[in-house]
Amino acid sequence: MSESSAQKIPADDRWILMIETSQRQGSIALGTVAGEFIDEQLFSPGLVHSKELMPRIDDLIGQHGSRSQLGIVAVSRGPGSFTGIRIGVAAAKAIGWALGIPALGLSSLECMIHGLGAETRGRWAAILDASGGDRDLGIFDLKDGKIEVIEDERAVRVEELPSLITEGMGVIGSGCRDVDWPESNPVASIERDQPPAKSGLILASQMVQAIASGTPAPPGWDNPHQLQPRYLRVSRAEEVRRQKLAEQGRS
């Protein structure tokens, strides 16, 4: 850990603001660096992230104090909704830069797994529906509220899933709903497909503890502008653009 990273570990009573806009249901939450939950707000149903994010941040913080109490801003940086991720990451970078505090980017799939609860154990696959038969996949071990990454997150085709999900592995996420899973594979309730910001707070607090113990700080910690969205594939608009360029090259 660099000296600047060490200097940026906030006091235990400072706040973490968690932003979750990677899925259809947006939310924000406040907690302390020590892991104490303070409060959470869910957005209105639908893709209203750009409209509601900043007003809800102001409202949530205003109910409990002021922005001066923030020590870290955390955000679910993907994979997930391209637009939602961009909105959340841009807000986290702006807040981190304005207040001079670290910005912490979290895996959307890990946040989803944390949403299963501390009592859940075993190996789980988080699967997002990226449309057109594409899926975003991450495989994790969950024990006592701690997550171990088993395989790097990657993009796969839906027809690959049966060969990648082993017997007894649980599944969660929008990308698991149209697959006929064997009885040996636990399937999380559909409500768990939309991870609340509260679950991200748990992961953020654990990451801060790891950084304090010497784990290298991720991009954004020392400089919020280095925080970037995490996409496992290009957007549909980019696919169309590339296809048009390829067609023009053949003509």
Side-chain angles (χ1 to χ4, degrees), residues 58-111:
D58 290 338
D59 181 58
L60 181 62
I61 292 176
Q63 289 182 27
H64 298 277
S66 69
R67 288 198 179 195
S68 64
Q69 292 165 267
L70 287 177
I72 296 170
V73 56
V75 62
S76 182
R77 72 182 187 102
S81 162
F82 280 80
T83 301
I85 292 168
R86 285 196 295 269
I87 291 169
V89 168
K93 291 168 70 170
I95 292 170
W97 184 257
L99 298 181
I101 61 175
L104 190 59
L106 310 179
S107 161
S108 304
L109 299 185
E110 289 191 47
C111 290

Side-chain angles (χ1 to χ4, degrees), residues 10-14 16 31-37 205 208-209:
D12 284 351
D13 61 350
R14 294 290 296 278
I16 298 176
T32 66
V33 172
E36 178 187 356
F37 174 68
S205 180
V208 173
Q209 293 173 21

Side-chain angles (χ1 to χ4, degrees), residues 109-133:
L109 299 185
E110 289 191 47
C111 290
M112 183 177 294
I113 293 295
H114 262 291
L116 288 167
E119 70 283 356
T120 304
R121 297 190 177 197
R123 187 158 295 189
W124 283 78
I127 309 169
L128 295 183
D129 184 356
S131 75

